[in-house]
Amino acid sequence: MMIYGAVTFLVYALSMSHMNDLLDVDHLIPGATALVTFRGAGAIAGPVLTAGVMTLMGPDGIWLALAVFHGLFVIYIIRRFLARPHIPLALQRVFAPIPVRSSALVANLIHRRRRRPRQD
């Protein structure tokens, strides 16, 4: 269960990161809205569908349901990675870790520092 939880709880963060890399600045908020909506739909549909599988197969049906749902998700992810062109290195952004307790002002300062031209 620890491995399952460690893998599953990272999906949203990785999806958000991937989405931020691919979308223009004008589309970030609608993209985040869509991601939250799909996550909510999955949070509603997942337990209902899993309960249906468990009704048919008994308690062990939860593992089959999880394997099928996650397997379909993995196939989708692989298909998307193969279908999309890679992001050119010049367009990739530098990762800037921001502590959880920091404010929006800190995020703005880090953003400005990344935009500043290099002085060699």
Side-chain angles (χ1 to χ4, degrees):
M1 286 307 290
M2 283 179 42
I3 294 170
Y4 169 75
V7 171
T8 302
F9 292 129
L10 295 176
V11 170
Y12 181 75
L14 290 173
S15 300
M16 182 66 76
S17 174
H18 186 66
M19 182 192 69
N20 288 338
D21 286 342
L22 295 175
L23 293 180
D24 295 328
V25 175
D26 298 338
H27 296 104
L28 287 179
I29 292 177
T33 303
L35 193 60
V36 168
T37 302
F38 285 123
R39 184 177 187 201
I44 293 168
V48 173
L49 294 173
T50 302
V53 172
M54 289 176 67
T55 301
L56 295 173
M57 298 188 65
D60 290 334
I62 190 169
W63 302 113
L64 177 66
L66 289 173
V68 168
F69 299 150
H70 286 92
L72 291 172
F73 187 59
V74 166
I75 290 169
Y76 173 76
I77 290 171
I78 291 171
R79 190 180 141 280
R80 293 294 296 167
F81 277 129
L82 294 176
R84 277 206 178 259
H86 294 287
I87 301 170
L89 192 58
L91 297 178
Q92 292 179 9
R93 299 182 188 136
V94 176
F95 174 73
I98 300 173
V100 175
R101 294 184 180 180
S102 64
S103 66
L105 179 62
V106 172
N108 191 24
L109 291 173
I110 290 173
H111 183 66
R112 284 186 192 172
R113 195 179 102 216
R114 282 193 282 161
R115 289 176 153 222
R116 189 179 304 157
R118 286 184 146 174
Q119 295 175 355
D120 292 323

